[in-house]
Coordinates of all heavy atoms in Angstrom, one line a residue:
M1 N -115.9 83.3 121.7 CA -115.4 83.6 120.4 C -114.7 82.4 119.8 O -114.0 81.6 120.5 CB -114.5 84.8 120.4 CG -113.9 85.2 119.1 SD -113.0 86.7 119.2 CE -114.3 87.8 118.7
F2 N -114.9 82.1 118.5 CA -114.2 81.0 117.8 C -113.6 81.5 116.5 O -113.9 82.6 116.0 CB -115.2 79.9 117.5 CG -116.2 80.2 116.4 CD1 -115.9 79.8 115.1 CD2 -117.4 80.8 116.7 CE1 -116.8 80.1 114.1 CE2 -118.3 81.1 115.7 CZ -118.0 80.8 114.4
A3 N -112.7 80.7 116.0 CA -112.1 81.0 114.7 C -111.8 79.7 114.0 O -111.7 78.6 114.6 CB -110.7 81.7 114.9
V4 N -111.8 79.8 112.7 CA -111.4 78.6 111.8 C -110.0 78.9 111.3 O -109.8 80.0 110.6 CB -112.4 78.4 110.7 CG1 -112.0 77.3 109.8 CG2 -113.8 78.1 111.2
I5 N -109.1 78.1 111.6 CA -107.7 78.3 111.1 C -107.3 77.2 110.2 O -107.9 76.1 110.0 CB -106.7 78.2 112.4 CG1 -106.8 76.9 113.1 CG2 -107.0 79.4 113.3 CD1 -105.7 76.7 114.1
R6 N -106.1 77.4 109.5 CA -105.6 76.4 108.5 C -104.2 76.2 108.9 O -103.4 77.1 108.9 CB -105.7 77.0 107.1 CG -105.2 76.0 106.1 CD -105.3 76.5 104.7 NE -104.6 77.8 104.5 CZ -104.9 78.7 103.6 NH1 -105.9 78.5 102.8 NH2 -104.2 79.8 103.5
T7 N -103.8 74.9 109.0 CA -102.4 74.6 109.2 C -102.3 73.1 108.8 O -103.1 72.3 109.1 CB -102.0 74.7 110.7 OG1 -100.6 74.4 110.8 CG2 -102.8 74.0 111.7
G8 N -101.2 72.8 108.2 CA -100.9 71.4 107.7 C -101.8 70.9 106.7 O -102.1 69.7 106.6
G9 N -102.4 71.9 105.9 CA -103.4 71.4 104.8 C -104.8 71.1 105.4 O -105.6 70.6 104.6
K10 N -105.0 71.3 106.6 CA -106.3 71.0 107.2 C -106.9 72.3 107.9 O -106.2 73.2 108.2 CB -106.2 69.9 108.3 CG -105.6 68.6 107.7 CD -105.4 67.6 108.8 CE -104.8 66.4 108.3 NZ -103.4 66.6 107.9
Q11 N -108.2 72.3 108.1 CA -108.9 73.4 108.8 C -109.4 72.9 110.1 O -109.9 71.8 110.2 CB -110.0 73.9 107.9 CG -109.5 74.5 106.6 CD -110.7 74.9 105.7 OE1 -111.8 74.9 106.1 NE2 -110.4 75.3 104.5
Y12 N -109.3 73.8 111.1 CA -109.7 73.5 112.5 C -110.6 74.6 113.0 O -110.2 75.8 112.9 CB -108.5 73.2 113.4 CG -107.6 72.2 113.0 CD1 -106.5 72.4 112.2 CD2 -107.8 70.8 113.4 CE1 -105.6 71.4 111.8 CE2 -106.9 69.8 113.0 CZ -105.8 70.1 112.2 OH -105.0 69.2 111.8
K13 N -111.7 74.3 113.7 CA -112.4 75.3 114.5 C -111.9 75.3 115.9 O -111.9 74.3 116.6 CB -113.9 74.9 114.5 CG -114.8 75.9 115.2 CD -116.2 75.5 115.1 CE -117.1 76.5 116.0 NZ -118.5 76.1 116.0
V14 N -111.4 76.5 116.3 CA -110.8 76.6 117.6 C -111.4 77.6 118.5 O -112.1 78.6 118.0 CB -109.3 76.8 117.5 CG1 -108.6 75.7 116.8 CG2 -109.0 78.2 116.8
A15 N -111.2 77.5 119.8 CA -111.7 78.5 120.8 C -110.5 78.7 121.7 O -109.5 78.0 121.8 CB -112.9 78.0 121.5
K16 N -110.6 79.8 122.6 CA -109.5 80.1 123.5 C -109.3 79.0 124.5 O -110.3 78.3 124.9 CB -109.9 81.4 124.2 CG -108.7 82.0 125.0 CD -109.1 83.3 125.6 CE -108.0 84.0 126.2 NZ -107.6 83.5 127.5
D17 N -108.1 78.7 124.9 CA -107.7 77.7 125.9 C -108.0 76.3 125.5 O -108.0 75.4 126.3 CB -108.4 78.0 127.3 CG -107.9 79.3 127.9 OD1 -106.8 79.7 127.6 OD2 -108.7 79.9 128.6
E18 N -108.1 76.1 124.2 CA -108.3 74.7 123.6 C -107.0 74.1 123.3 O -106.1 74.7 122.8 CB -109.2 74.9 122.4 CG -109.7 73.6 121.9 CD -110.7 73.8 120.8 OE1 -111.9 74.1 121.1 OE2 -110.3 73.7 119.6
L19 N -106.9 72.8 123.5 CA -105.7 72.0 123.1 C -106.0 71.4 121.8 O -107.1 70.8 121.6 CB -105.3 71.0 124.2 CG -104.7 71.5 125.5 CD1 -104.5 70.4 126.5 CD2 -103.4 72.2 125.2
L20 N -105.0 71.4 120.9 CA -105.2 70.9 119.5 C -104.0 70.2 119.1 O -102.9 70.6 119.3 CB -105.5 72.1 118.6 CG -105.9 71.9 117.2 CD1 -107.3 71.3 117.2 CD2 -106.0 73.2 116.5
E21 N -104.2 69.1 118.4 CA -103.0 68.3 117.9 C -103.0 68.6 116.4 O -103.9 68.2 115.6 CB -103.2 66.8 118.2 CG -102.0 66.0 118.1 CD -102.2 64.6 118.7 OE1 -103.1 63.9 118.1 OE2 -101.5 64.2 119.6
V22 N -101.9 69.2 115.9 CA -101.8 69.6 114.5 C -100.5 69.0 114.0 O -99.6 68.6 114.7 CB -101.8 71.1 114.3 CG1 -103.1 71.7 114.7 CG2 -100.7 71.8 115.0
E23 N -100.3 69.0 112.6 CA -99.0 68.6 112.0 C -97.9 69.5 112.4 O -98.1 70.7 112.6 CB -99.2 68.5 110.5 CG -100.1 67.4 110.1 CD -100.0 67.2 108.6 OE1 -99.1 67.6 107.9 OE2 -101.0 66.6 108.1
R24 N -96.7 69.0 112.6 CA -95.6 69.7 113.1 C -95.1 70.8 112.1 O -95.1 70.6 110.9 CB -94.4 68.7 113.4 CG -93.3 69.4 114.1 CD -92.3 68.4 114.5 NE -92.8 67.4 115.5 CZ -92.0 66.5 116.0 NH1 -90.8 66.3 115.6 NH2 -92.5 65.6 116.9
V25 N -94.8 72.0 112.6 CA -94.2 73.1 111.9 C -92.9 73.4 112.6 O -92.5 72.9 113.6 CB -95.1 74.3 111.8 CG1 -96.4 74.0 111.1 CG2 -95.4 74.8 113.2
E26 N -92.1 74.3 112.0 CA -90.8 74.7 112.5 C -91.0 75.5 113.8 O -91.2 76.7 113.7 CB -90.0 75.5 111.5 CG -89.6 74.7 110.3 CD -88.6 73.6 110.6 OE1 -87.8 73.8 111.5 OE2 -88.8 72.5 110.1
A27 N -91.0 74.9 114.9 CA -91.1 75.5 116.2 C -90.6 74.5 117.3 O -90.5 73.3 117.0 CB -92.6 75.9 116.5
N28 N -90.4 75.1 118.4 CA -90.0 74.2 119.6 C -91.0 74.3 120.7 O -91.8 75.2 120.7 CB -88.6 74.7 120.1 CG -87.5 74.5 119.1 OD1 -87.5 73.4 118.4 ND2 -86.6 75.4 118.9
A29 N -90.9 73.4 121.6 CA -91.9 73.5 122.8 C -91.7 74.8 123.5 O -90.6 75.2 123.8 CB -91.6 72.3 123.7
G30 N -92.8 75.4 123.8 CA -92.7 76.7 124.5 C -92.8 77.9 123.6 O -93.0 79.0 124.1
D31 N -92.6 77.7 122.3 CA -92.7 78.8 121.4 C -94.1 79.3 121.1 O -95.1 78.5 121.3 CB -92.1 78.5 120.0 CG -90.6 78.3 120.1 OD1 -90.0 78.6 121.1 OD2 -90.0 77.8 119.1
K32 N -94.3 80.5 120.8 CA -95.6 81.1 120.4 C -95.6 81.2 118.9 O -94.7 81.6 118.2 CB -95.8 82.5 121.0 CG -95.7 82.5 122.5 CD -97.0 82.8 123.1 CE -97.0 83.1 124.6 NZ -96.6 82.0 125.4
I33 N -96.7 80.7 118.2 CA -96.8 80.8 116.8 C -98.1 81.5 116.4 O -99.1 81.5 117.2 CB -96.8 79.4 116.2 CG1 -97.9 78.5 116.7 CG2 -95.4 78.7 116.4 CD1 -98.0 77.1 116.1
D34 N -98.2 82.1 115.2 CA -99.4 82.7 114.7 C -99.9 81.8 113.6 O -99.2 81.3 112.8 CB -99.0 84.1 114.1 CG -98.7 85.1 115.1 OD1 -99.3 85.0 116.2 OD2 -97.9 86.0 114.9
L35 N -101.2 81.6 113.6 CA -101.9 80.8 112.7 C -102.8 81.6 111.7 O -103.4 82.5 112.2 CB -102.7 79.7 113.4 CG -101.9 78.8 114.3 CD1 -102.8 78.0 115.2 CD2 -101.0 77.9 113.5
P36 N -102.9 81.2 110.4 CA -103.7 82.0 109.5 C -105.2 81.7 109.8 O -105.6 80.6 110.1 CB -103.3 81.4 108.1 CG -102.7 80.1 108.4 CD -102.1 80.2 109.8
V37 N -106.0 82.8 109.8 CA -107.4 82.8 110.1 C -108.3 82.8 108.9 O -108.2 83.8 108.1 CB -107.8 84.0 111.1 CG1 -109.2 83.9 111.5 CG2 -106.9 84.0 112.3
L38 N -109.1 81.8 108.7 CA -110.0 81.8 107.6 C -111.4 82.4 107.9 O -112.1 83.0 107.0 CB -110.2 80.3 107.1 CG -109.0 79.6 106.7 CD1 -109.3 78.1 106.4 CD2 -108.4 80.2 105.5
M39 N -111.8 82.3 109.1 CA -113.1 82.8 109.6 C -113.1 83.1 111.1 O -112.4 82.4 111.8 CB -114.2 81.7 109.3 CG -115.6 82.2 109.5 SD -116.8 81.0 109.1 CE -117.3 80.3 110.6
I40 N -113.8 84.1 111.5 CA -113.8 84.4 112.9 C -115.3 84.8 113.2 O -116.0 85.4 112.4 CB -112.8 85.5 113.2 CG1 -112.6 85.7 114.7 CG2 -113.2 86.9 112.6 CD1 -111.4 86.4 115.1
G41 N -115.7 84.4 114.4 CA -117.1 84.8 114.8 C -117.2 84.5 116.3 O -116.3 84.1 117.0
G42 N -118.4 84.7 116.8 CA -118.6 84.5 118.2 C -120.0 85.0 118.7 O -120.8 85.4 117.9
E43 N -120.2 85.0 120.0 CA -121.4 85.4 120.6 C -121.5 86.9 120.5 O -120.7 87.6 121.1 CB -121.5 84.9 122.0 CG -121.4 83.4 122.1 CD -121.2 82.9 123.5 OE1 -121.5 83.7 124.4 OE2 -120.8 81.8 123.7
G44 N -122.6 87.4 119.9 CA -122.8 88.8 119.9 C -122.0 89.6 118.9 O -122.2 90.8 118.8
S45 N -121.1 89.0 118.1 CA -120.4 89.7 117.1 C -120.6 89.1 115.8 O -121.0 87.9 115.6 CB -118.9 89.6 117.4 OG -118.4 88.3 117.3
A46 N -120.5 89.9 114.7 CA -120.8 89.5 113.4 C -119.7 88.5 112.9 O -118.5 88.7 113.3 CB -120.8 90.7 112.4
T47 N -120.0 87.5 112.2 CA -119.1 86.6 111.6 C -118.4 87.2 110.4 O -119.0 87.7 109.5 CB -119.8 85.3 111.2 OG1 -120.5 84.8 112.3 CG2 -118.8 84.3 110.7
K48 N -117.0 87.1 110.4 CA -116.2 87.6 109.3 C -115.6 86.4 108.6 O -115.0 85.5 109.2 CB -115.1 88.5 109.8 CG -115.6 89.7 110.5 CD -114.3 90.5 111.0 CE -114.7 91.5 112.0 NZ -113.5 92.1 112.7
I49 N -115.8 86.4 107.3 CA -115.3 85.3 106.4 C -114.2 85.9 105.5 O -114.5 86.9 104.9 CB -116.4 84.6 105.6 CG1 -117.5 84.0 106.5 CG2 -115.8 83.6 104.7 CD1 -118.7 83.5 105.8
G50 N -113.1 85.3 105.5 CA -112.0 85.8 104.7 C -112.0 85.3 103.3 O -112.7 84.4 102.9
A51 N -111.2 86.0 102.4 CA -111.1 85.6 101.0 C -109.7 85.7 100.6 O -109.3 86.6 99.9 CB -112.0 86.5 100.2
P52 N -108.8 84.8 100.9 CA -109.0 83.6 101.7 C -108.8 83.8 103.2 O -109.2 83.0 104.0 CB -108.0 82.6 101.2 CG -106.8 83.5 100.8 CD -107.5 84.7 100.2
L53 N -108.1 84.9 103.6 CA -107.8 85.1 105.0 C -108.5 86.4 105.5 O -108.8 87.3 104.7 CB -106.3 85.3 105.3 CG -105.4 84.1 104.9 CD1 -103.9 84.4 105.1 CD2 -105.8 82.9 105.6
V54 N -108.8 86.4 106.8 CA -109.5 87.6 107.4 C -108.4 88.6 107.7 O -107.4 88.3 108.3 CB -110.2 87.2 108.7 CG1 -110.9 88.4 109.3 CG2 -111.3 86.1 108.4
E55 N -108.6 89.8 107.2 CA -107.7 90.9 107.4 C -107.7 91.4 108.8 O -108.8 91.6 109.4 CB -108.0 92.1 106.5 CG -107.8 91.9 105.0 CD -106.3 91.7 104.7 OE1 -105.5 92.4 105.3 OE2 -106.0 90.8 103.8
G56 N -106.6 91.5 109.5 CA -106.5 92.0 110.8 C -106.8 91.0 111.9 O -106.6 91.3 113.1
A57 N -107.2 89.8 111.6 CA -107.5 88.8 112.6 C -106.2 87.9 112.8 O -105.4 87.7 111.9 CB -108.6 87.9 112.1
S58 N -106.1 87.5 114.1 CA -104.9 86.6 114.4 C -105.3 85.6 115.5 O -106.1 85.9 116.3 CB -103.7 87.5 114.8 OG -104.0 88.1 116.0
V59 N -104.7 84.5 115.4 CA -104.8 83.4 116.4 C -103.4 83.1 116.9 O -102.6 82.7 116.1 CB -105.5 82.2 115.9 CG1 -105.5 81.1 116.9 CG2 -107.0 82.5 115.5
K60 N -103.2 83.3 118.1 CA -101.9 83.0 118.7 C -102.0 81.7 119.5 O -102.9 81.5 120.3 CB -101.4 84.2 119.6 CG -101.2 85.5 118.9 CD -100.5 86.5 119.7 CE -100.5 87.8 119.0 NZ -100.3 87.9 117.6
A61 N -101.0 80.9 119.3 CA -101.0 79.6 119.9 C -99.6 79.3 120.5 O -98.6 79.8 120.1 CB -101.3 78.5 119.0
E62 N -99.6 78.5 121.6 CA -98.3 78.2 122.3 C -98.1 76.7 122.1 O -99.0 75.9 122.3 CB -98.4 78.5 123.8 CG -97.2 78.1 124.5 CD -97.3 78.3 126.0 OE1 -98.3 78.9 126.4 OE2 -96.4 77.9 126.7
V63 N -96.9 76.3 121.7 CA -96.6 74.9 121.4 C -96.3 74.3 122.8 O -95.5 74.7 123.6 CB -95.3 74.8 120.6 CG1 -94.9 73.3 120.4 CG2 -95.5 75.5 119.2
V64 N -97.1 73.2 123.1 CA -97.0 72.6 124.4 C -96.0 71.5 124.3 O -95.1 71.4 125.2 CB -98.4 72.0 124.8 CG1 -98.3 71.2 126.1 CG2 -99.4 73.1 125.0
E65 N -96.1 70.6 123.3 CA -95.1 69.5 123.2 C -95.1 68.9 121.8 O -96.1 69.1 121.1 CB -95.4 68.4 124.2 CG -96.6 67.6 124.0 CD -96.8 66.4 124.9 OE1 -95.8 65.9 125.4 OE2 -97.9 65.9 125.0
M66 N -94.0 68.3 121.5 CA -93.9 67.6 120.2 C -94.3 66.1 120.4 O -93.8 65.5 121.4 CB -92.5 67.6 119.7 CG -92.0 69.0 119.4 SD -93.0 69.8 118.2 CE -92.2 71.4 118.1
T67 N -95.2 65.6 119.6 CA -95.6 64.2 119.7 C -95.5 63.5 118.4 O -95.1 64.1 117.4 CB -97.0 64.1 120.3 OG1 -97.9 64.8 119.3 CG2 -97.2 64.7 121.6
R68 N -96.0 62.2 118.3 CA -96.0 61.5 117.1 C -97.4 60.8 117.1 O -97.9 60.4 118.1 CB -94.9 60.5 117.0 CG -93.5 61.2 116.9 CD -92.4 60.3 116.6 NE -92.5 60.1 115.2 CZ -91.8 59.1 114.6 NH1 -91.1 58.3 115.3 NH2 -91.8 58.9 113.3
G69 N -97.9 60.6 115.9 CA -99.2 59.9 115.7 C -99.0 58.4 115.8 O -97.9 57.9 116.1
P70 N -100.1 57.7 115.7 CA -100.0 56.2 115.8 C -99.3 55.6 114.6 O -99.2 56.2 113.5 CB -101.5 55.8 115.8 CG -102.2 56.9 115.1 CD -101.5 58.1 115.4
K71 N -98.7 54.4 114.8 CA -98.0 53.7 113.7 C -99.1 53.2 112.7 O -100.0 52.5 113.1 CB -97.2 52.6 114.2 CG -96.3 52.0 113.2 CD -95.5 50.9 113.7 CE -94.2 51.5 114.3 NZ -93.2 50.4 114.7
L72 N -98.9 53.5 111.4 CA -99.8 53.0 110.4 C -99.0 52.0 109.5 O -97.9 52.2 109.2 CB -100.3 54.1 109.5 CG -101.1 55.2 110.3 CD1 -101.5 56.3 109.3 CD2 -102.4 54.6 110.9
T73 N -99.7 51.0 109.0 CA -99.1 50.0 108.1 C -99.7 50.3 106.7 O -100.9 50.3 106.5 CB -99.4 48.6 108.5 OG1 -98.9 48.4 109.8 CG2 -98.8 47.6 107.6
V74 N -98.8 50.5 105.8 CA -99.2 50.7 104.4 C -98.9 49.5 103.6 O -97.7 49.1 103.5 CB -98.5 52.0 103.8 CG1 -98.9 52.2 102.4 CG2 -98.7 53.2 104.6
F75 N -99.9 48.8 103.1 CA -99.6 47.5 102.4 C -100.2 47.6 101.0 O -101.4 47.9 100.8 CB -100.3 46.4 103.2 CG -100.0 45.0 102.6 CD1 -98.7 44.5 102.8 CD2 -100.9 44.3 101.9 CE1 -98.4 43.2 102.2 CE2 -100.6 43.1 101.4 CZ -99.3 42.5 101.5
K76 N -99.4 47.4 100.0 CA -99.9 47.5 98.6 C -99.7 46.1 98.0 O -98.7 45.4 98.3 CB -99.0 48.4 97.8 CG -99.0 49.8 98.3 CD -98.1 50.7 97.4 CE -98.0 52.1 97.9 NZ -97.2 52.9 97.0
K77 N -100.7 45.7 97.3 CA -100.7 44.3 96.6 C -101.4 44.4 95.3 O -102.5 45.0 95.2 CB -101.4 43.3 97.6 CG -101.3 41.9 97.0 CD -102.0 40.9 97.9 CE -102.0 39.6 97.1 NZ -102.5 38.5 97.9
R78 N -100.9 43.7 94.3 CA -101.6 43.5 93.1 C -101.7 42.0 92.9 O -100.7 41.3 92.8 CB -100.7 44.1 91.9 CG -100.7 45.6 92.0 CD -100.2 46.2 90.7 NE -100.2 47.7 90.9 CZ -99.3 48.4 90.3 NH1 -98.4 47.9 89.5 NH2 -99.3 49.7 90.5
R79 N -102.9 41.6 92.8 CA -103.2 40.1 92.8 C -102.6 39.5 91.5 O -102.7 40.1 90.5 CB -104.6 39.8 93.0 CG -105.5 40.4 92.0 CD -107.0 40.1 92.4 NE -107.8 40.4 91.2 CZ -109.0 40.0 91.1 NH1 -109.5 39.2 92.0 NH2 -109.8 40.3 90.0
R80 N -102.2 38.3 91.7 CA -101.6 37.5 90.6 C -100.4 38.0 89.9 O -100.0 37.6 88.9 CB -102.7 37.2 89.5 CG -103.9 36.4 90.1 CD -104.9 36.0 88.9 NE -105.4 37.2 88.2 CZ -106.5 37.8 88.6 NH1 -107.2 37.4 89.6 NH2 -106.9 38.8 87.9
Q81 N -99.8 39.0 90.5 CA -98.6 39.7 89.9 C -97.3 39.5 90.7 O -96.3 40.0 90.4 CB -98.8 41.2 89.7 CG -100.1 41.5 88.9 CD -100.0 40.9 87.5 OE1 -99.0 41.0 86.8 NE2 -101.1 40.4 87.0
N82 N -97.5 38.8 91.9 CA -96.4 38.6 92.8 C -95.8 40.0 93.3 O -94.6 40.2 93.3 CB -95.3 37.7 92.3 CG -94.4 37.2 93.4 OD1 -94.8 37.1 94.5 ND2 -93.1 36.9 93.0
Y83 N -96.7 41.0 93.5 CA -96.3 42.3 93.9 C -96.9 42.6 95.3 O -98.1 42.7 95.4 CB -96.8 43.3 92.9 CG -96.6 44.8 93.2 CD1 -95.4 45.4 92.9 CD2 -97.5 45.5 93.9 CE1 -95.1 46.7 93.3 CE2 -97.3 46.8 94.2 CZ -96.1 47.4 93.9 OH -95.9 48.7 94.2
R84 N -96.0 42.7 96.2 CA -96.4 43.1 97.6 C -95.4 44.0 98.2 O -94.2 43.8 98.1 CB -96.5 41.8 98.5 CG -97.6 40.9 98.1 CD -97.7 39.8 99.1 NE -96.5 38.9 99.1 CZ -96.3 37.9 98.3 NH1 -97.2 37.6 97.4 NH2 -95.3 37.1 98.4
R85 N -95.8 45.1 98.7 CA -95.0 46.1 99.4 C -95.6 46.5 100.8 O -96.7 46.8 100.8 CB -94.8 47.4 98.6 CG -94.3 47.2 97.2 CD -92.8 46.9 97.2 NE -92.2 46.7 95.9 CZ -92.1 45.6 95.3 NH1 -92.5 44.5 95.9 NH2 -91.6 45.5 94.1
K86 N -94.7 46.3 101.8 CA -95.2 46.7 103.1 C -94.3 47.8 103.6 O -93.1 47.8 103.6 CB -95.1 45.5 104.0 CG -95.6 45.7 105.4 CD -95.6 44.5 106.3 CE -96.1 44.7 107.7 NZ -96.0 43.6 108.5
N87 N -95.0 48.9 104.1 CA -94.3 50.0 104.6 C -95.0 50.5 105.9 O -96.2 50.2 106.1 CB -94.3 51.1 103.5 CG -93.0 51.9 103.5 OD1 -92.4 52.0 104.5 ND2 -92.7 52.5 102.4
G88 N -94.3 51.3 106.7 CA -94.9 51.9 107.9 C -94.8 53.4 107.8 O -94.0 53.9 107.1
H89 N -95.6 54.0 108.6 CA -95.6 55.5 108.7 C -96.0 56.0 110.1 O -97.0 55.4 110.6 CB -96.5 56.1 107.6 CG -96.6 57.6 107.7 ND1 -95.6 58.4 107.2 CD2 -97.5 58.4 108.2 CE1 -95.9 59.7 107.4 NE2 -97.0 59.7 108.0
R90 N -95.4 57.0 110.5 CA -95.8 57.6 111.8 C -95.6 59.1 111.6 O -94.5 59.6 111.4 CB -94.8 57.2 112.9 CG -95.6 56.6 114.1 CD -94.8 56.2 115.2 NE -95.4 56.7 116.4 CZ -94.8 56.5 117.6 NH1 -93.7 55.9 117.7 NH2 -95.4 57.0 118.6
Q91 N -96.7 59.8 111.7 CA -96.8 61.3 111.4 C -96.2 62.1 112.6 O -96.5 61.8 113.8 CB -98.2 61.7 111.2 CG -98.4 63.2 110.7 CD -97.8 63.4 109.4 OE1 -97.9 62.6 108.5 NE2 -97.2 64.6 109.2
D92 N -95.4 63.1 112.3 CA -94.9 64.0 113.3 C -96.0 65.0 113.7 O -96.5 65.7 112.8 CB -93.7 64.7 112.9 CG -92.5 63.8 112.8 OD1 -92.4 62.8 113.5 OD2 -91.6 64.0 111.9
L93 N -96.4 65.2 114.9 CA -97.4 66.1 115.3 C -96.9 67.0 116.5 O -95.8 66.7 117.0 CB -98.6 65.3 115.9 CG -99.3 64.3 114.9 CD1 -100.3 63.5 115.7 CD2 -99.9 65.0 113.7
M94 N -97.7 68.0 116.8 CA -97.4 68.8 117.9 C -98.7 69.2 118.6 O -99.7 69.4 117.9 CB -96.5 70.0 117.6 CG -97.2 71.1 116.7 SD -96.0 72.4 116.4 CE -97.0 73.5 115.6
L95 N -98.6 69.4 119.9 CA -99.8 69.8 120.7 C -99.7 71.3 121.0 O -98.7 71.7 121.5 CB -99.8 69.0 122.0 CG -101.0 69.1 122.9 CD1 -102.2 68.4 122.2 CD2 -100.8 68.4 124.2
V96 N -100.7 72.0 120.5 CA -100.7 73.5 120.7 C -101.9 73.9 121.6 O -102.9 73.2 121.6 CB -100.7 74.2 119.4 CG1 -99.5 74.0 118.6 CG2 -102.0 73.9 118.6
K97 N -101.7 75.0 122.3 CA -102.8 75.5 123.1 C -103.1 76.9 122.6 O -102.2 77.7 122.4 CB -102.4 75.7 124.6 CG -103.4 76.2 125.5 CD -103.0 76.3 126.9 CE -104.1 76.9 127.8 NZ -103.7 77.0 129.2
I98 N -104.4 77.2 122.3 CA -104.8 78.4 121.7 C -104.8 79.5 122.9 O -105.5 79.3 123.8 CB -106.2 78.4 121.1 CG1 -106.2 77.2 120.0 CG2 -106.6 79.7 120.5 CD1 -105.3 77.4 118.9
V99 N -104.0 80.5 122.7 CA -103.8 81.5 123.8 C -104.7 82.7 123.6 O -105.3 83.2 124.5 CB -102.3 81.9 123.8 CG1 -102.1 83.0 124.9 CG2 -101.4 80.8 124.1
E100 N -104.8 83.2 122.3 CA -105.6 84.4 122.1 C -106.2 84.4 120.7 O -105.6 83.9 119.7 CB -104.6 85.6 122.2 CG -105.3 86.9 121.9 CD -104.2 88.0 121.8 OE1 -103.0 87.8 122.0 OE2 -104.7 89.2 121.6
I101 N -107.4 84.8 120.6 CA -108.1 85.1 119.3 C -108.4 86.5 119.2 O -109.2 87.0 120.0 CB -109.4 84.2 119.2 CG1 -109.0 82.7 119.2 CG2 -110.1 84.5 117.9 CD1 -110.2 81.8 119.2
A102 N -107.8 87.2 118.2 CA -108.1 88.6 118.1 C -108.6 88.9 116.7 O -108.1 88.3 115.7 CB -106.8 89.4 118.3
G103 N -109.6 89.7 116.6 CA -110.1 90.0 115.3 C -111.1 91.1 115.3 O -111.7 91.7 114.6

């Protein structure tokens, strides 16, 4: 069975016992969180598509650890204007394990 979930402005196709790196939400390591389900389907069952969410479906995930993404360099330049800006960014992420898909 699989589900399509939405978190952090992105959509992910997930299955049970899968590890997934998503943008950080208000939770701590070891917490269980519920994720909104956009679509659910699987082998031998009919696919349900939500509008926008599937009624009665839920995906439960466990937060494994808090991590951070790679360091990115943001460089802006306008030629011939003596305009240069250098900035860095590192996204806060968390590693979650999909525990249960119910629908």
Side-chain angles (χ1 to χ4, degrees):
M1 179 171 266
F2 72 92
V4 176
I5 60 168
R6 178 179 62 206
T7 180
K10 299 175 187 69
Q11 297 177 5
Y12 302 94
K13 181 179 175 185
V14 297
K16 189 174 187 287
D17 296 328
E18 189 173 279
L19 287 174
L20 188 67
E21 203 171 54
V22 298
E23 289 190 21
R24 192 176 291 183
V25 297
E26 292 295 322
N28 294 320
D31 290 352
K32 303 248 191 290
I33 57 174
D34 289 328
L35 300 168
V37 180
L38 301 174
M39 185 176 103
I40 194 163
E43 302 169 16
S45 64
T47 301
K48 297 179 198 170
I49 300 174
L53 301 176
V54 178
E55 292 294 323
S58 67
V59 171
K60 298 192 185 324
E62 179 183 355
V63 179
V64 177
E65 69 173 337
M66 301 296 180
T67 61
R68 297 190 78 195
K71 184 180 277 189
L72 302 176
T73 301
V74 180
F75 187 74
K76 300 178 182 180
K77 180 180 177 175
R78 293 196 180 144
R79 61 186 191 159
R80 297 187 300 268
Q81 306 298 318
N82 196 27
Y83 175 84
R84 291 184 297 275
R85 299 290 180 266
K86 184 176 178 183
N87 215 334
H89 178 76
R90 232 180 137 184
Q91 186 68 37
D92 290 329
L93 302 172
M94 67 181 188
L95 189 67
V96 297
K97 180 179 181 180
I98 305 301
V99 177
E100 178 187 1
I101 299 175

